[in-house]
Amino acid sequence: MTESMAPADRAKYAAARRAIDFVEDGMRLGLGTGSTAVHMVRALAELVREEGLRVTAAATSRQTAEFAQSLGLEVTEPGEEKWVDLCIDGADEVDADLNLIKGGGGALLMEKVIATSADQVIVIADASKKVARLGGYPLPVEVIPFGWQTTQALIGELLQNLDLDGHQSHRRMQGGKPFLTDQGNFILDLELQRIGAPHQLSLVLNQIPGVVENGLFLDICDTLILGHEDGSVELQDINSGQIRHERLELAQADNLFSDIADG
């Protein structure tokens, strides 16, 4: 049973399982990247096998695509789907207005492309990701390698004039080398602590030469599903404003890839 799982993983699993209830036969799906999304992809593959659903999936990263295909899901080539019916993805932070910070897993560009092409976006996360104000989690900004130091300097100058509590940035590293996105770009992680005006920050960041995209996902999420350690979930709908609580009966799940960042 899920009692054998770590509490945080039990919460992620609960959110992921509940999100699968929104999947319908014939849907084009956007599959997120991260530890919570791993639970979702596994649950989706189980649903497809057991109920014979016909779905196609657009993955937000090579990692997700390979994992989904290994479970027998049909995954389209990147960019093949112009739109999707439903995108299910995780988040690194989410505020009361369902604005997000994403990109902890390094897939923010494809995540934003697929999310903005979706008729409906469901964000799944454990309850610890809900915050009063965005900014505690470092904000990822994807930049091209050419002239990245100049881009970083321009970002630094910009941050000094905005409503933020921190202004530091660093290039993300992995194994002693610069982290590379699936598109071959670098990521600058901005240590902002508190973001006073997310919409303004997102707009001005994307105007800086060399910036490809930033990890602020604003006015994109339709439904938030928060999982709790006891296996219950909280659903918040941005359109109705309703919040409801449910308790799920959860089957066993393992912790594969539980160390992957959610965004």
Side-chain angles (χ1 to χ4, degrees):
M1 300 297 290
T2 54
E3 286 78 3
S4 62
M5 301 174 68
D9 287 322
R10 192 181 308 124
K12 295 175 182 180
Y13 179 66
R17 292 293 304 191
R18 183 62 180 87
I20 295 305
D21 293 338
F22 289 81
V23 176
E24 299 177 3
D25 188 43
M27 273 189 166
R28 306 177 188 182
L29 301 175
L31 304 183
T33 295
S35 59
T36 311
V38 164
H39 290 302
M40 178 270 298
V41 172
R42 185 182 291 109
L44 174 64
E46 180 182 344
L47 180 68
V48 168
R49 287 195 304 270
E50 292 183 353
E51 300 191 11
L53 296 187
R54 297 171 293 107
V55 299
T56 57
T60 57
S61 66
R62 287 196 296 264
Q63 184 180 56
T64 295
E66 292 170 358
F67 182 54
Q69 289 170 330
S70 75
L71 297 178
L73 293 174
E74 181 181 347
V75 179
T76 61
E77 291 297 317
E80 184 175 320
E81 298 285 3
K82 294 182 179 179
W83 58 270
V84 297
D85 299 290
L86 173 64
C87 176
I88 306 176
D89 204 350
D92 297 303
E93 277 190 346
V94 54
D95 68 12
D97 296 320
L98 304 194
N99 291 317
L100 319 168
I101 286 182
K102 291 177 51 57
L108 64 100
L109 178 57
M110 291 180 68
E111 287 173 336
K112 190 170 284 190
V113 169
I114 290 177
T116 54
S117 75
D119 290 340
Q120 182 180 16
V121 176
I122 296 177
V123 171
I124 52 178
D126 64 274
S128 69
K129 303 300 174 63
K130 190 72 174 290
V131 297
R133 190 181 290 269
L134 299 177
Y137 192 91
L139 175 65
V141 178
E142 186 163 344
V143 302
I144 64 173
F146 176 80
W148 72 269
Q149 298 97 328
T150 299
T151 302
Q152 183 181 34
L154 291 171
I155 291 174
E157 293 178 5
L158 170 74
L159 298 181
Q160 298 298 323
N161 300 313
L162 297 178
D163 184 12
L164 309 165
D165 284 350
H167 308 91
Q168 302 300 313
S169 68
H170 61 271
R171 182 173 57 166
R172 187 178 299 182
M173 305 294 289
Q174 185 178 60
K177 298 180 180 180
F179 175 89
L180 293 178
T181 69
D182 283 355
Q183 289 70 44
N185 295 319
F186 293 158
I187 287 184
L188 300 178
D189 287 313
L190 311 187
E191 304 284 351
L192 306 178
Q193 302 177 34
R194 181 192 61 85
I195 301 174
H199 289 81
Q200 178 191 26
L201 176 60
S202 179
L203 178 64
V204 295
L205 279 173
N206 282 8
Q207 293 176 343
I208 294 177
V211 170
V212 179
E213 190 53 80
N214 71 80
L216 285 167
F217 283 56
L218 310 176
D219 307 319
I220 288 176
C221 175
D222 297 297
T223 302
L224 171 67
I225 304 179
L226 289 180
H228 295 268
E229 295 178 358
D230 63 358
S232 65
V233 295
E234 174 185 313
L235 288 84
Q236 180 177 349
D237 183 273
I238 193 64
N239 296 311
S240 68
Q242 293 183 338
I243 299 177
R244 66 180 186 271
H245 300 267
E246 301 176 0
R247 180 170 292 278
L248 307 181
E249 292 296 329
L250 300 179
Q252 183 161 350
D254 57 46
N255 297 340
L256 185 62
F257 300 153
S258 62
D259 61 339
I260 301 173
D262 283 306

